[in-house]
Structures are given as structure tokens and as C-alpha cells.
Amino acid sequence: MKKIGFKTGLMALAVFAFAACSSNNEVGNLTFKKFTNEENIYLMGDKNAPHAEFSLNMEYPVKGEPSIHHWVQEQISDFVLGTSYGPLEPQAAVDKYAETYKNDYLSDVESLYKEELAEVGDASKVGVWYNYYQHMESTVDFYAKSLLVIESTISDFTGGAHGIHLVNYLNLDLTNLNKVRIQDIFNANYEANLVSLIKDQFKKDLKVESLEDVGFWEDSIQPTENMKLSATGITFLYNVYEIAPYAMGAQEVTLTYAQLSDLLNKENPIIKELLNI
């Protein structure tokens, strides 16, 4: 049996991995690639001094229908990094955001660190609160036909009692080049009924009769744009402090399309695709 050369095998594996995110059944036939920037940012350039850990990993489309893949690139940058980054090419956007974070960190704390170090005279006795971190990532959560769902996560610490971790979702209609908004996929006056379904599902998932009794701020539970659509249903995610104390973490609940059937706008093109109607 003929052996495949090591380099040839690696090349084949790389091509497979690079193309894994694309399919002829998906609008735009997009292929995705990750762009990164990572750095430890030391105060005064001293590796023994406090520092900020920074990492940014962004998944962008790099091949496919040009008008679609460029639009998606811009939407991802706008959503994750901010609107000023949208017009930039992926690596340029990632690098610019990293440079801005570095400059902001040094500007915020380096002069304070120098002052404290001059007063104390011993770097080991200077407060650890100068140590920051920010880790950000965006990935493809779901891609089928016209629907592309992007997941964005951020873990951020800027001193204080604890850091914060957030997860956010962006749903895109690739056929019409629109963001998928909650008001677009539900019929008018959906709010009260949706809230009831969300609360009931939380109770079922947690096996409780009262959400208040386990720490939820029940009155704060409202429909949220922070949702991800999938082949089987919609997940609504509430980040820390939105409907419960920090100690309880983020909370998410998934409702099937069968549960949501009476509320869904079946004229919406994305909903029609997902329900095959």
C-alpha cells in the first residue's frame, strides 16, 4: 500500500479544516478563518511588573460570495469590536483593537504604578490591582442556508472584586443582508406570552416552582435580543446581573419552535426556512 507523505497529509488536513465551515447548501458558501492577536502588556516594559493579559480571536469569512462575505466581515467587527472597526480588513481590525486596548491600559494605570512604586520603593509591595486581563473570542455558532449565528465571548478584569464574563449572539440573514431582530421573527404583541414561556421553561429546567426562591429577579425577565436561532429552537441568554445576581452566573433557556409556534412570524424568511414552510 502506498504511503502518503507527511507533508502531503498535513496539507490535506489543513485544506479540510479550512473548508469545514462551508457547504453548497449555505448561502454565500462562506469559508471562515481565525484572526488573532495576543500579548502580555507589562507596565514600564518590565517583565517583573504588573501586566495585562490580552487575547483576541476572531473568526471571519475569507472566501465565498464577495458581496456577502465582505458584509459579514463588517457585521462581525461592528458587533464584537465596535462600529469604527467595521470598514477594516479582519487582521487590521483585530490589530487596531489590540493596540487600542494596550494604549488604554498603559494610559490608565502606568502613571499610578510609577507613583506608588516611587513611594513604596519595593515592587513586590505594590498592589496587584494593576494586573488586568481581557480575553475575547468570536466563533460561528450555526450556519445553515440563509442563517448565520455568531457567538461572541469576553472575559474582562480591570481591578476590583472580580472580573466579568459575557456571551452575546448575532443572527444574520445572508439572503437579505439583514440582522435578525426579535421583533422580526415574532408576531405583534408577543412579549407577554413569550415571557410566560421563558419563565415556565426556566422552572422546568431548574425543577422549581418559584424563580424568586432560587435567586432570580423575576420581574427583570423580559424578551432579549441576546438570542441564538438554531435548527430546533431559540435560546435566550441573560448575562450576569440581568435577571439574577453575579454569583448565579449567566442564565439561558431554550424554547423549541413547537413551543413558539403560535408566536412566530411565519412570513419571516428565516423562520420560513427553519420551519421548512
Side-chain angles (χ1 to χ4, degrees), residues 37 39 41 52 54 56 81-82 84-85 88 91-109 132 134 136:
N37 190 303
E39 184 178 4
I41 307 159
F54 176 81
L56 178 57
L81 306 178
S84 64
Y85 297 90
L88 301 177
Q91 192 63 58
V94 167
D95 292 344
K96 180 181 177 183
Y97 184 92
E99 186 66 21
T100 299
Y101 178 85
K102 178 178 182 177
N103 291 338
D104 288 348
Y105 170 67
L106 295 175
S107 175
D108 287 346
V109 303
Y132 285 20
Q134 185 174 102
M136 296 176 64

Side-chain angles (χ1 to χ4, degrees), residues 91-246:
Q91 192 63 58
V94 167
D95 292 344
K96 180 181 177 183
Y97 184 92
E99 186 66 21
T100 299
Y101 178 85
K102 178 178 182 177
N103 291 338
D104 288 348
Y105 170 67
L106 295 175
S107 175
D108 287 346
V109 303
E110 192 165 57
S111 61
L112 297 174
Y113 172 71
K114 288 180 181 179
E115 290 176 12
E116 186 172 350
L117 184 60
E119 292 176 5
V120 175
D122 183 350
S124 65
K125 296 180 180 179
V126 175
V128 296
W129 71 268
Y130 295 104
N131 289 305
Y132 285 20
Y133 65 74
Q134 185 174 102
H135 302 292
M136 296 176 64
E137 185 171 19
S138 72
T139 57
V140 175
D141 183 83
F142 183 79
Y143 181 22
K145 297 182 180 179
S146 298
L147 177 62
L148 174 66
V149 182
I150 301 296
E151 179 184 84
S152 169
T153 63
I154 178 170
S155 295
D156 193 44
F157 179 73
T158 55
H162 53 70
I164 195 164
H165 180 78
L166 303 174
V167 180
N168 292 290
Y169 292 101
L170 173 67
N171 300 267
L172 298 175
D173 175 351
L174 301 183
T175 296
N176 298 294
L177 300 185
N178 287 325
K179 294 178 183 178
V180 180
R181 303 291 193 184
I182 192 168
Q183 65 266 25
D184 300 326
I185 61 173
F186 289 107
N187 295 320
N189 303 314
Y190 68 91
E191 292 88 350
N193 289 327
L194 180 57
V195 168
S196 293
L197 289 172
I198 289 172
K199 289 181 178 180
D200 288 346
Q201 191 63 46
F202 267 130
K203 292 175 185 177
K204 183 178 180 180
D205 291 346
L206 298 170
K207 298 179 174 59
V208 299
E209 294 184 1
S210 169
L211 294 177
E212 293 280 356
D213 288 349
V214 292
F216 282 83
W217 304 323
E218 193 165 352
D219 290 343
S220 297
I221 299 176
Q222 299 296 326
T224 175
E225 286 281 0
N226 196 19
M227 60 182 182
K228 61 173 178 177
L229 281 67
S230 72
T232 56
I234 303 175
T235 297
F236 300 92
L237 188 140
Y238 300 87
N239 280 304
V240 292
Y241 293 126
E242 290 188 338
I243 61 171
Y246 178 87

